[in-house]
Amino acid sequence: MREIISELSKKLHSGEVSSVELTSEYIKAVEEANPKYNAIVHTTFEAALEHAEAADEMLKEGNADTLCGIPMVMKDNICTDGLLTTCCSNVLKGFKPYYDATVWEKLKEKGAVLLGKANMDEFAMGSTSESSCYGAPFNPRNTGHVTGGSSGGAAAAVTANMAAYALGSDTGGSVRQPAAYCGIVGLKPTYGSVSRYGLIAYGSSLDQIGPLTYSVKDAAIVFDAIKGFDRRDQTSKAFDYGNILDYLDRDIKGVKIGIAEEFFDGIDPDMKTQIFDAVKLFEKNGAEIVDIKLPALKSALPVYYIIACAEASSNLGRYDGIRYGHRTGSYDSIDDMIYKTRSEGFGAEVKRRIMLGTYVLSSGYYDAYYKKACVIREEIRREFDETYEKCDILIAPIAPTTAPVLNFKGLSSVEMYLSDICTVPINIAGIPSISVPCGIDKKGLPIGMQIMGKRFDDAKVLNMAYFYEQNSKDWAGNFEGGVRI
Amino acid sequence: MSYEVVCGIETHIELNTDTKIFCNCTTAFGGDPNTHCCPVCTGQPGSLPVLNKKVVEYAVRAGLAVNCKVNTISHMDRKNYVYPDLPKAYQISQYDEPLCENGYIILDSGKRIGITRIHIEEDAGKLIHEDGYTYIDYNRGGVPLIEIVSEPDISSPEEAKEYAEKLQLIMRYVGISDCKMQEGSMRCDVNVSLRKFGSNEFGTRTETKNINSLNFIQKAMYAEIERQTDILDAGGTITQDTMRYDDVTDTISPMREKENSDDYRYFPDPDIIRFEVPQAKIDEIKASLPELPFDKLKRYIDGLELPEMTAKHMYRYRKVCEFFEEALKLGAGVKNASNLITGTIYATLDTEEDKENFEIKVSPSQFAELVKLLDEKKINFKMAQTTLQEMLVSGNPASNYIKAEDMEGVSDDEITKFCQEAIDANPKAVEDIKSGKDKAINVMFGYIMKQTKGKADVKKAEAIIRDLISKM
């Protein structure tokens, strides 16, 4: 099992390698591999070397953090002061925020090194990263397949060893699903545990920043670094997790694993087999299996699309060509300017969701759609709460299939939305969930398993995932290419 | 034909908190464009609002001052519309759960004007149109506002003006805003419709927006009533327009036609969680409210026995009242203190605004010291006035202008002596007085005052002069 962060950190702390040397290696790796995977859309090498120099100073002084000096990438929707942050949208091309997102502020303080901004679905809307204005990233496990989305570039960069870890954002599965498609680990923490300040909003009540890493321990290290209350985000919560890393090795004896049939409806049979094999491994080691009913899950997808699109339609109103980003070349009036700017700036998927969101919030439809969705959302949350009285964690697939092929035009929007069926309920409930590799399908593509816990039980979720990872085959395996230190 | 006027007023009031509603930027008026700004108040991608607790407190204060019920659970909504002065393309406001509801204000006539609701929201930026370009200044963006919505209980332009005036007074009193209409910290939208007397149905209403003076509320309403009357009398129908009042030409005209009713797509702001104002906090705020203006007026007239005119000249200005009451506490007498304030001090404060700001160089204790000398008849009113005028210019205490010997007054013998001198020096005046031209006595007063440096008691002097003349 490659625990990249721990391995690199040891080398940096022992002086075997300096952060500048390491960063240079990663820069080389990005230069070589990125044309192949299109994972990183803006490189920040100059800044990276500056960060590395600062990290080397911190390392020399001693007491540096585990993440000090380690190169990483961030999804292109997390704001970085003076560095491009475009949400992979034409409407924000050239946009350089003048402030840092809280997560980046925290990482910078610890000596993190930013190599660049990762490719993604435009404004994080999509399940394949194909809606990026810079073109889709390619899955390093098989470049004919998608990376998944919307944090596809982040997943590809980590998978191909172009970065030690990445930060993505997960609104309806956007960290977990690409992690599963690429065969790495993706954590969506409890809503409110990581500050959203500086994350360019898609669906505000669902968005959550989370790490994409090669191993569970790496995920725990990154989560530990970015979590915590932020006075700039009113939805963030002060929760004392204690030492998360100490939690990883805990015994899993007596842990009640809930299996809800609803999660397995219409799932690829091979995938189902692999996941149940994993469950058996837990059972063999003392976990108990509990059958769970989650009937409200069937409403999760429409509820998700109504709420996410409603919030998106409001969040994206500010992209009008007036203050930043793209402005159309010629126009007759201010209305015409805004109309043309948005027509040119937004891609089809974003426009579709803005229109859908505008529709469900309009008077006359609000009660029928948005309000009803909010009511059902509460029902889903309640159902999860009740479920966690019967079990400690839930296990489910991440997606109905492994990574689909690129440019597969056979899928309608609705069919594409259906691929989110296993991940969106978690965002609706605001609970933590992790995606861990648990097999390879016949095409050689990675299969992901989803482990979910109750709100603020992130440590337990990591504990279970860690146990599985340590006691199963190394599904992630070693990727040929990229930095090998 | 004659109609009944139905009018409701929406009043926006900027709260005078130090920082904006969702960030720590200053709310100070003015400043170079876009210097009081941050990622939050300019709606930068990724920024998030954090509700300022002070804003909620101030809004509760406003609500309690006009007899509202305060909701203990409340939330913020997004009001979505696109306009360049609104950087997020939505205004964070309150829709279905306003902070305060069901209040009222009582007019002088005893009529009660209902207040439907008071909610909190953010102000927009300012557009500046210059040389064919439009510039945007977001300094005002995110300044906290309350919107006070009245019931359509107002039936005349006079009532409308009185309502707004009273509202302004109350809000200034409770200290939540300076309510300067000319600076835009209080703005009124006036909704007017007409209906035939006796009818229960409302007519179509128009809205005249952003009126920035109390007088213009009245004038705009007159103009609008006249316009609607003409249309209705001619058999026409009123369209639901937004009107603009031009104070230079005193005319009213439609600003833009409302083609459709606006669909703001309100929904609860997901970035701000529902908030609670505990009953204990509401009680605490209620206990901290100052005496409200109309209670104060009543107390000044009934309790302090001030003449109504004097009381009305003072109660409107919170700082004047504070100054007055502080002086009373320090021992100044009611009558002399109020007379000196509304006479001598007001003479140096030309405008309403000057009185409102009440920036004078004399402290309440210096003032009380002077009033006490007057109360104890150590100096006369004339001398008190002169001294106060000096104090207002220099800021020095009364003792700098009144010497100890001045305060000793003038003995009866001395006055008699000066009176005799005055009579001797003015034989013509004496003749005039004898023949009934009483005013001529003033000539002698002038002489006596000059000799005694204003210290002589005029009444006493008059008695002595008349006595001496009668003996001639």
Side-chain angles (χ1 to χ4, degrees):
Chain A
M1 201 59 47
R2 292 212 60 200
E3 286 168 358
I4 293 182
I5 292 173
S6 320
E7 287 163 25
L8 293 177
S9 187
K10 255 179 237 154
K11 288 181 178 155
L12 285 164
H13 278 79
S14 70
E16 193 184 326
V17 66
S18 74
S19 176
V20 170
E21 287 163 356
L22 182 64
T23 302
S24 306
E25 284 300 312
Y26 269 105
I27 289 174
K28 237 188 280 165
V30 172
E31 279 171 343
E32 268 168 36
N34 204 42
K36 214 157 117 198
Y37 304 123
N38 196 27
I40 296 169
V41 289
H42 326 295
T43 53
T44 53
F45 295 154
E46 207 177 305
L49 289 166
E50 277 170 30
H51 297 152
E53 272 172 38
D56 280 333
E57 286 301 309
M58 289 163 88
L59 285 159
K60 251 183 244 161
E61 283 164 25
N63 287 331
D65 189 87
T66 317
L67 293 174
C68 185
I70 298 181
M72 50 86 67
V73 295
M74 268 193 303
K75 194 174 180 176
D76 197 29
N77 59 354
I78 299 173
C79 287
T80 43
D81 190 353
L83 302 173
L84 288 170
T85 307
T86 70
C87 283
C88 291
S89 174
N90 280 320
V91 94
L92 271 180
K93 256 196 186 158
F95 177 60
K96 286 180 182 169
Y98 65 93
Y99 75 102
D100 281 326
T102 299
V103 285
W104 175 231
E105 219 174 67
K106 287 189 169 205
L107 289 179
K108 226 161 55 170
E109 246 171 59
K110 294 180 194 300
V113 175
L114 180 71
L115 290 167
K117 306 302 273 287
N119 205 349
M120 60 184 276
D121 272 307
E122 184 182 4
F123 279 102
M125 297 177 191
S127 311
T128 60
S129 297
E130 287 169 293
S131 70
S132 164
C133 74
Y134 304 107
F138 303 94
N139 192 326
R141 305 285 180 189
N142 182 336
T143 50
H145 290 256
V146 301
T147 53
S150 61
S151 312
V158 174
T159 307
N161 290 327
M162 291 156 70
Y165 66 97
L167 289 189
S169 70
D170 191 316
T171 309
S174 288
V175 162
R176 290 160 289 155
Q177 184 254 36
Y181 283 0
C182 293
I184 57 168
V185 173
L187 172 71
K188 190 220 85 103
T190 302
Y191 184 78
S193 64
V194 176
S195 171
R196 288 187 295 117
Y197 188 78
L199 170 67
I200 298 182
Y202 157 27
S204 312
S205 71
L206 305 154
D207 292 343
Q208 189 62 68
I209 292 172
L212 292 106
T213 56
Y214 229 88
S215 69
V216 176
K217 190 172 178 187
D218 286 355
I221 292 169
V222 179
F223 173 60
D224 192 43
I226 60 172
K227 69 176 181 6
F229 173 73
D230 180 10
R231 57 172 182 79
R232 289 172 297 193
D233 175 0
Q234 238 182 315
T235 60
S236 89
K237 298 261 173 16
F239 183 83
D240 183 11
Y241 281 98
N243 191 332
I244 287 173
L245 290 166
D246 282 352
Y247 214 98
L248 290 183
D249 288 321
R250 288 218 180 168
D251 198 354
I252 66 148
K253 215 163 267 165
V255 173
K256 288 182 185 157
I257 299 174
I259 301 288
E261 218 176 283
E262 291 85 350
F263 274 119
F264 293 87
D265 272 355
I267 296 297
D268 178 90
D270 288 346
M271 194 180 262
K272 204 169 165 177
T273 312
Q274 301 267 29
I275 292 169
F276 276 104
D277 281 351
V279 172
K280 271 180 212 145
L281 178 76
F282 285 122
E283 210 179 358
K284 219 172 72 192
N285 285 281
E288 280 174 46
I289 309 298
V290 187
D291 275 333
I292 296 295
K293 288 268 172 289
L294 279 167
L297 276 198
K298 65 176 189 302
S299 323
L301 209 57
V303 164
Y304 169 79
Y305 276 97
I306 288 168
I307 290 174
C309 293
E311 290 178 359
S313 74
S314 173
N315 285 332
L316 271 57
R318 73 192 70 191
Y319 306 107
D320 52 14
I322 290 172
R323 289 160 296 271
Y324 33 71
H326 173 74
R327 178 184 293 177
T328 190
S330 67
Y331 46 88
D332 305 330
S333 64
I334 186 155
D335 287 344
D336 189 44
M337 190 275 278
I338 294 173
Y339 173 80
K340 281 186 183 153
T341 295
R342 289 171 71 82
S343 294
E344 294 164 10
F346 289 131
E349 187 56 36
V350 171
K351 283 178 189 161
R352 189 175 297 124
R353 295 194 195 193
I354 289 174
M355 283 191 286
L356 186 61
T358 305
Y359 178 79
V360 298
L361 286 177
S362 303
S363 68
Y365 301 99
Y366 180 87
D367 287 349
Y369 296 105
Y370 183 78
K371 212 172 169 185
K372 200 179 269 178
C374 290
V375 170
I376 302 170
R377 175 187 199 150
E378 284 313 306
E379 235 170 80
I380 294 169
R381 289 173 74 98
R382 205 175 47 242
E383 222 171 79
F384 270 104
D385 287 345
E386 284 164 15
T387 296
Y388 285 117
E389 284 168 14
K390 296 179 204 133
C391 64
D392 303 308
I393 59 152
L394 286 164
I395 286 184
I398 285 289
T401 64
T402 52
V405 292
L406 269 159
N407 300 317
F408 187 63
K409 304 286 185 203
L411 285 182
S412 71
S413 295
V414 173
E415 278 165 325
M416 193 182 81
Y417 296 167
L418 279 170
S419 70
D420 297 343
I421 194 129
C422 300
T423 47
V424 299
I426 281 69
N427 300 74
I428 291 172
I431 60 177
S433 169
I434 198 166
S435 173
V436 196
C438 78
I440 304 282
D441 76 357
K442 288 185 193 102
K443 289 171 273 181
L445 291 166
I447 294 172
M449 165 170 65
Q450 179 167 220
I451 304 174
M452 300 154 260
K454 56 171 156 272
R455 272 185 285 284
F456 295 102
D457 232 356
D458 306 62
K460 171 147 245 126
V461 165
L462 285 160
N463 169 220
M464 293 300 287
Y466 188 68
F467 180 89
Y468 176 74
E469 190 189 62
Q470 298 298 309
N471 292 284
S472 67
K473 202 173 147 188
D474 181 5
W475 298 110
N478 277 340
F479 186 83
E480 295 303 319
V483 171
R484 315 267 311 154
I485 286 179
Chain B
M1 192 175 295
S2 59
Y3 303 93
E4 184 186 3
V5 176
V6 178
C7 165
I9 297 183
E10 290 161 25
T11 309
H12 283 99
I13 292 174
E14 272 184 8
L15 302 179
N16 58 11
T17 53
D18 295 336
T19 55
K20 291 185 178 180
I21 183 165
F22 299 123
C23 63
N24 284 327
C25 288
T26 174
T27 53
F29 179 74
D32 283 341
N34 298 307
T35 52
H36 304 166
C37 288
C38 74
V40 176
C41 55
T42 53
Q44 296 293 308
S47 63
L48 293 170
V50 174
L51 183 58
N52 182 343
K53 270 189 190 158
K54 257 286 173 307
V55 169
V56 178
E57 265 180 55
Y58 275 32
V60 170
R61 225 174 144 72
L64 292 172
V66 290
N67 315 296
C68 280
K69 170 184 165 278
V70 178
N71 292 322
T72 51
I73 300 281
S74 204
H75 76 268
M76 304 303 297
D77 293 286
R78 288 188 186 176
K79 179 181 183 181
N80 293 283
Y81 67 98
V82 176
Y83 202 68
D85 66 3
L86 192 68
K88 295 187 290 292
Y90 56 82
Q91 181 191 29
I92 305 179
S93 180
Q94 293 192 295
Y95 179 55
D96 55 354
E97 284 182 301
L99 195 56
C100 310
E101 289 176 286
N102 294 325
Y104 60 86
I105 276 180
I106 308 272
L107 301 184
D108 285 345
S109 63
K111 182 174 174 182
R112 179 181 153 129
I113 307 296
I115 287 170
T116 318
R117 58 185 279 159
I118 300 180
H119 65 252
I120 50 182
E121 61 187 31
E122 59 180 328
D123 209 341
K126 205 171 85 186
L127 299 183
I128 301 146
H129 305 281
E130 245 172 55
D131 343 308
Y133 287 95
T134 297
Y135 302 90
I136 315 177
D137 177 6
Y138 287 116
N139 281 354
R140 204 180 61 190
V143 166
L145 294 179
I146 51 173
E147 183 175 341
I148 304 177
V149 182
S150 87
E151 293 283 318
D153 292 343
I154 297 162
S155 330
S156 70
E158 290 73 21
E159 281 186 11
K161 186 184 171 190
E162 193 188 334
Y163 164 81
E165 203 171 2
K166 289 215 145 85
L167 206 57
Q168 183 183 48
L169 199 48
I170 293 168
M171 295 308 152
R172 281 178 178 169
Y173 251 66
V174 297
I176 61 150
S177 173
D178 54 19
C179 292
K180 287 182 182 165
M181 293 193 81
Q182 68 285 1
E183 281 183 18
S185 64
M186 173 169 160
R187 322 192 276 271
C188 290
D189 299 344
V190 181
N191 294 294
V192 177
S193 69
L194 301 184
R195 65 179 171 196
K196 283 180 194 160
F197 274 104
S199 166
N200 286 326
E201 269 171 52
F202 289 123
T204 306
R205 69 183 165 89
T206 61
E207 183 179 30
T208 310
K209 275 198 176 294
N210 287 330
I211 302 183
N212 65 357
S213 117
L214 292 171
N215 285 328
F216 295 161
I217 292 177
Q218 203 173 347
K219 285 183 166 179
M221 236 177 114
Y222 271 124
E224 179 56 13
I225 291 167
E226 195 182 315
R227 190 187 70 93
Q228 288 192 22
T229 304
D230 289 349
I231 294 173
L232 292 173
D233 281 351
T237 49
I238 308 294
T239 48
Q240 198 183 324
D241 290 334
T242 298
M243 309 298 292
R244 184 210 304 276
Y245 173 71
D246 184 338
D247 57 73
V248 179
T249 56
D250 189 22
T251 51
I252 197 152
S253 53
M255 201 153 73
R256 63 185 152 92
E257 202 175 314
K258 284 197 176 177
E259 291 157 5
N260 308 301
S261 68
D262 292 310
D263 187 352
Y264 292 117
R265 292 173 284 116
Y266 281 101
F267 75 105
D269 192 319
D271 291 328
I272 301 170
I273 43 178
R274 292 173 79 83
F275 58 94
E276 194 188 350
V277 192
Q279 189 58 48
K281 184 76 199 173
I282 297 171
D283 295 342
E284 186 193 316
I285 295 171
K286 196 164 200 172
S288 77
L289 285 183
E291 181 181 31
L292 291 174
F294 309 101
D295 297 333
K296 194 181 280 290
L297 179 63
K298 199 168 178 309
R299 182 169 62 87
Y300 278 12
I301 295 169
D302 298 348
L304 298 181
E305 294 179 338
L306 280 179
E308 196 177 322
M309 269 302 270
T310 314
K312 281 191 169 166
H313 271 130
M314 297 202 348
Y315 90 107
R316 302 177 47 80
Y317 314 105
R318 189 168 57 93
K319 287 182 184 160
V320 170
C321 293
E322 279 166 12
F323 179 85
F324 173 59
E325 290 178 30
E326 183 65 26
L328 295 192
K329 258 189 232 159
L330 295 168
V334 171
K335 188 163 178 275
N336 284 327
S338 58
N339 283 340
L340 283 173
I341 290 172
T342 54
T344 313
I345 296 183
Y346 274 14
T348 68
L349 303 169
D350 290 340
T351 62
E352 287 283 299
E353 206 185 332
D354 290 343
K355 290 182 192 117
E356 182 64 38
N357 293 338
F358 202 64
E359 281 158 3
I360 60 167
K361 285 187 176 169
V362 178
S363 72
S365 69
Q366 287 174 347
F367 180 67
E369 185 193 326
L370 175 75
V371 177
K372 275 192 279 185
L373 291 175
L374 179 60
D375 291 341
E376 289 158 11
K377 294 205 163 58
K378 286 187 178 157
I379 54 172
N380 66 11
F381 197 77
K382 180 80 186 58
M383 189 187 285
Q385 279 184 310
T386 321
T387 309
L388 184 54
Q389 277 159 3
E390 305 267 13
M391 289 163 72
L392 287 165
V393 173
S394 68
N396 294 325
S399 53
N400 278 24
Y401 304 98
I402 308 171
K403 294 192 190 75
E405 62 265 26
D406 286 344
M407 282 187 263
E408 284 165 6
V410 187
S411 70
D412 287 1
D413 284 356
E414 267 182 295
I415 291 186
T416 313
K417 189 189 112 200
F418 289 129
C419 288
Q420 191 58 59
E421 281 177 21
I423 290 169
D424 294 346
N426 296 287
K428 185 170 182 312
V430 174
E431 283 313 305
D432 285 350
I433 294 165
K434 280 183 175 169
S435 63
K437 289 177 186 163
D438 235 21
K439 274 190 183 169
I441 203 167
N442 288 339
V443 181
M444 306 205 193
F445 290 161
Y447 176 82
I448 293 161
M449 285 302 173
K450 199 174 169 193
Q451 296 302 317
T452 61
K453 292 186 186 127
K455 288 189 290 179
D457 183 326
V458 180
K459 282 216 171 107
K460 199 178 269 177
E462 187 180 354
I464 294 170
I465 289 167
R466 289 197 193 284
D467 186 46
L468 288 173
I469 289 174
S470 70
K471 285 177 187 162
M472 282 172 75

